[in-house]
Every structure is written in C-alpha cells, then in structure tokens.
Amino acid sequence: MSDTPFGFGLPPEEPDDGDEGKKKDPQSGGGQGPANPFGFGGMPGAGGFGGPGADNPLAAMFGSLNPSDLGAAFQQLGQMLSYEGGPVNWDMAKQIARQTVSQGTADGTKDASVGPAERNAVQEAVRLADLWLDDATSLPSGAASAVAWSRAEWVEATLPAWKELVDPVAERVGTAMGDVLPEEMQAMAGPLIGMMRSMGGAMFGTQIGQAVGVLAGEVFGSTDIGLPLGPAGKATLLPVNIEAFGKDLGVSKDEVRLYLALREAAHQRLFAHVPWLRSHLFGAVDGYARGIKVDTAKLEDVVGQFDPQNPEQLQDALQQGMFQPEDTPEQKAALARLETALALVEGWVDAVVHAAAKPRLSSADALRETLRRRRASGGPAEQTFATLIGLELRPRRLRDASRLWASLTDARGVDGRDAVWAHPDMLPTASDLDDPDGFVHREQLDFSELDKMLGEAASGSAGKPDLKKDDAPEDDKGDDTE
C-alpha cells in the first residue's frame, strides 16, 4: 500500500509489450502494490514508476521530461486541473483502473477476454449452485442471469457502485479543501478554490482508480466485499481470477468454480429478497461521511506556507495524512453499524453455502477455511480504501456471525433463520454476536403482522367513507333537498 494516501498521481502509460509489466520492479509500480502508486513518476518521459525523479514526483514532472513529451505532460496536467465535475474525477479513476488491469497482477497473471467455453462453464456452475441452495435457504433465487466477466469488464460494471460509496466522503474532503481560506478571501479566490477542488478530485480519482484496478485482479464475482457492486440480478464470476486462485489449492477447477458460484448466488438471493439491505449498508457509509472531519488546520498551514520552489514540502504533508479524516463519535457509530451488517451478510452466506456444499463437495471444509482467512485479512486494494476513506470493508466478526446463523438454524429451522431478515430491527446487533445463545432464544417480534396492520390501516383510510356522514342514524341526517 502506498505511503502517500493522497498523492497527485497520473496514470502510467499502458505498455506496448504485454510482458513489460512483468519485468517492472514490483516496488516501483509494475503490477500490484507500488511503493508510490500515485506519484507523478508514471507521466510520459518521467521514466515510469520508480524512474528518475520518482522520489520527488513534482520535480520529476518537469525535470525528467523529454522535450517531445512535454506537450503530452502539460495536456494531462491541464485535464487534471480543469476538471469541473463532482468530488471525484471518475474519468481519471476509470482510466487508471483500466491501465492497472492491463498491467496484470503481481503473480504475472494477465487479463483476458472470456471465451464461450468459460461463459458456459460459469452459467452451468451458477445454475447448479442455485439448485443446491434451494435446500439450504428459504430465499428464492436472485439471479436472473449468470455472466462471466474479464477484469476490465468488472471495472466498467462496478464503477457506479464505487461512485455511490465514495462520493459522500470525497465531497466532505473536497469542501474542506475549498474552505481553507478565510471567508472574506474566498470571494476573491474563486479560481484558486476551483483549482484546489479539481486537484482534490484528481487525487481521489487517482487512488480510487488504482485501488479498483488492483481489486479487479483479486475478486471472484460482484459481491466479494459483501456489498452488491454489480447490476441487480446478475450473478457474476471472473474466470481468470478463479483459475489463478485455484491453481495451488490442490482442488479441481470445477469444484473451486462451483463453490465460488454458491457464494455469489447466495449473495444474490440475499440482496434480491431483502430489499432494504442495500440501502442499509450504503446508508452506513453515508452516515460515516456526515460525521467526517478533515484536519483543515494542517491544510491551511500547508497552503499558506507552500513554496513552489520546494515541492517536497507538499509531498511531505501528503505523507503525514493531511486529508485523512479524524475519528468522531458519528463515524464510529456508522462504522460499527457497517461492520456488524457486513459480518451478518458474510456470516449468513458462509453458513448457507456450507450447508449446501458440505454433503456434496469433498473440498467444502478446506475451501470454506481458505476463503474465511482470505476475507478476514483483506488485500492491498481493501487496505487502500481504508487509507482513503477510513472504511475497512471486511467483516471482522465473520466467524461469530456464522456461528449465530448456524445456531438459529438449529433452533428455528431454515425458515425461522431467514425470517430474521424481514426487518432491520430484527437483525442481531454487535452485542448479540457476543451472546448468540441469548439472541437465538430471545422472543422475536413479528414485524410482518405490524406491517400488515399498518398496510390495512392505510388502505382502509383511503377508501373508507366518512363515518360522521354515512354511518349516522337515519333520523340525524339532514335533508339535503332543503
């Protein structure tokens, strides 16, 4: 993960030779986890990441350029500073994500288009997974279709969800960047404020693009992080990542694909038939954004003392986390809600998939444990998002949640367990994960009856006649003809 969480990066050029990305030093930006992934070293003529001047990215921007590349460099810089969109430059994010994908992953695996045989294999795996899940959950299938994506296709399809996740946080940081000047000076400093916000959008776009590109080389489907990133109703698998994941497991590729199809199909069922769940998860992120605080004092100090002849000063400030949000009670509460919800989602999927796979797949236990550890540790991209917006999209209490759902199944059966998703107020809390037996044996409120009563009351009042007029005794009614 980068030591400069909000550096001024521009995308590296795509290598002409497909093997060039493998030859780059992994500590200098080739593949995954560059030491300075967001510096200016990737600009044309700057020697690429880790090239001449990489330790001084702003100096490298002008000091290492070949004359023939000067125009292209200024054009890219102009595009960065002229951006006038939202808090994140998503065009830049998309470009960098695509270029990160094209470089391949650290193990040398390159992205590839999905062929007909792989698409058929994915569709068959999802079909069989849905059939097995019918015995393990009362929620019906949520996948209207099954698709196989390349890494580049995953980037394209998931960017709208990333935008919804990141924009609320980036908006607060961008506003803080524009508010560092005294109020009486802001009216006169419009162009400067606009430039600072453009730079903020570029910084977010650069890092998000890098993180999404790296994550595209790690994920197996559209729900790996516990959030629905792809279009609703599309169960998605990435064959190139599944093959790379399974090659050293000692498990047949068909079993690995089927187990991951079970997880993707289970997520799809949950998000399709628990309509409030998506907004519940994304709302926790928005609640976090509302409580964000930015260290504007440090920002003011850097802006006020910035010396154009000393660009290292700005780099040093970025390394110190100038834009990292501070902890607040609001953020902590929102993060607690999000972490608990993610644990419950992942725990339910873990329990349901294990129930479906255990009697049928000899490798079910091994694959379950491997994926649990992988999910709990998180990869470089998830760490980048944690640095960027303070959100660790990992279910810290996955095992606790899985045990709770298994206990619910034993005590109430499959239908009783899945009925807990009927209303957000019925979900276990963080304290319930500490005492699962207490939750399992607690008397549950039946919100379905309350919802039914409220619905009947609403429909009844809409069509019910006026009692004072129509239900009064006949003798009490006035004669309308008079």
Side-chain angles (χ1 to χ4, degrees):
M1 183 176 64
S2 169
D3 292 330
T4 56
F6 290 91
F8 285 169
L10 285 180
E13 290 293 313
E14 289 194 43
D16 294 329
D17 184 351
D19 293 330
E20 184 179 342
K22 299 181 187 178
K23 299 176 184 177
K24 293 182 181 179
D25 183 352
Q27 293 301 317
S28 62
Q32 196 168 334
N36 183 15
F38 313 117
F40 276 129
M43 294 187 67
F49 287 107
D55 293 335
N56 182 354
L58 295 179
M61 174 181 170
F62 297 105
S64 302
L65 289 175
N66 297 324
S68 60
D69 294 323
L70 191 59
F74 276 109
Q75 182 179 11
Q76 288 185 315
L77 180 62
Q79 290 174 351
M80 180 181 76
L81 296 180
S82 63
Y83 175 72
E84 297 180 351
V88 177
N89 188 331
W90 287 103
D91 292 336
M92 179 175 288
K94 178 179 176 180
Q95 180 185 9
I96 292 175
R98 291 293 299 263
Q99 291 178 345
T100 302
V101 163
S102 72
Q103 293 173 358
T105 53
D107 62 0
T109 304
K110 292 286 188 178
D111 193 21
S113 299
V114 180
E118 291 172 316
R119 294 186 189 280
N120 291 337
V122 165
Q123 291 171 356
E124 180 62 21
V126 172
R127 185 198 66 77
L128 185 57
D130 256 338
L131 185 64
W132 289 3
L133 288 172
D134 285 339
D135 296 331
T137 174
S138 62
L139 300 181
S141 174
S145 61
V147 294
W149 283 345
S150 66
R151 293 167 179 168
E153 288 174 318
W154 185 91
V155 167
E156 295 277 354
T158 61
L159 276 179
W162 291 120
K163 186 175 189 298
E164 187 175 352
L165 277 170
V166 175
D167 269 353
V169 183
E171 179 68 41
R172 295 299 300 270
V173 176
T175 300
M177 292 181 69
D179 291 344
V180 295
L181 296 176
E183 186 175 351
E184 60 272 14
M185 294 181 60
Q186 290 188 18
M188 297 181 292
L192 177 60
I193 294 175
M195 184 181 72
M196 293 178 67
R197 287 179 174 166
S198 296
M199 292 171 66
M203 288 187 290
F204 268 106
T206 299
Q207 193 161 15
I208 291 166
Q210 176 76 13
V212 169
V214 173
L215 194 58
E218 302 173 357
V219 296
F220 306 127
S222 66
T223 56
D224 288 51
I225 66 168
L227 297 171
L229 299 178
K234 281 191 176 181
T236 305
L237 293 179
L238 278 69
V240 64
N241 290 353
I242 293 174
E243 184 167 357
F245 169 70
K247 65 182 180 181
D248 297 325
L249 294 180
V251 179
S252 73
K253 183 168 68 173
D254 290 341
E255 284 202 17
V256 173
R257 184 195 302 114
L258 182 52
Y259 193 88
L260 295 172
L262 282 165
R263 289 183 52 81
E264 176 73 9
H267 277 104
Q268 292 292 337
R269 289 183 181 226
L270 193 58
F271 287 115
H273 299 291
V274 183
W276 52 265
L277 182 56
R278 187 183 191 279
S279 60
H280 180 76
L281 292 168
F282 281 67
V285 177
D286 186 63
Y288 167 86
R290 286 197 300 270
I292 198 172
K293 301 293 181 184
V294 181
D295 192 348
T296 54
K298 187 183 293 185
L299 189 59
E300 289 174 1
D301 184 62
V302 171
V303 172
Q305 301 181 23
F306 177 64
D307 179 5
Q309 301 300 319
N310 185 19
E312 295 91 344
Q313 181 186 47
L314 181 58
Q315 183 74 4
D316 291 342
L318 295 174
Q319 289 175 339
Q320 295 170 14
M322 180 171 59
F323 302 120
Q324 289 185 5
E326 302 170 350
D327 286 337
T328 66
E330 293 85 356
Q331 284 175 285
K332 290 179 180 178
L335 284 174
R337 288 195 300 271
L338 180 61
E339 288 178 350
T340 301
L342 285 173
L344 292 173
V345 168
E346 291 296 292
W348 183 87
V349 168
D350 180 77
V352 167
V353 168
H354 185 68
K358 175 70 172 174
R360 301 176 174 96
L361 294 179
S362 59
S363 58
D365 288 333
L367 288 171
R368 182 191 201 189
E369 185 60 27
T370 298
L371 288 167
R372 276 181 166 185
R373 292 180 179 179
R374 186 179 190 271
R375 188 72 179 91
S377 62
E382 291 187 49
Q383 295 167 12
T384 300
F385 282 115
T387 301
L388 179 65
I389 56 177
L391 293 176
E392 295 188 0
L393 299 174
R394 303 202 301 269
R396 294 179 180 274
R397 308 192 63 181
L398 167 60
R399 294 178 188 272
D400 294 336
S402 183
R403 282 193 291 268
L404 185 145
W405 290 118
S407 297
L408 275 174
T409 307
D410 294 339
R412 305 182 190 176
V414 168
D415 291 346
R417 177 202 64 201
D418 294 345
V420 173
W421 292 106
H423 195 281
D425 290 342
M426 295 175 65
L427 281 183
T429 63
S431 60
D432 291 326
L433 294 179
D434 296 328
D435 180 23
D437 289 337
F439 177 83
V440 167
H441 298 293
R442 185 187 310 159
E443 184 176 354
Q444 289 293 114
L445 298 174
D446 189 350
F447 284 92
S448 62
E449 288 299 320
L450 177 59
D451 290 341
K452 181 180 178 182
M453 292 170 59
L454 291 174
E456 290 176 349
S459 61
S461 62
K464 187 179 295 184
D466 189 340
L467 293 178
K468 291 183 179 179
K469 179 177 179 180
D470 296 320
D471 290 350
E474 192 69 34
D475 293 342
D476 292 341
K477 291 184 180 180
D479 188 352
D480 293 336
T481 60
E482 293 183 1

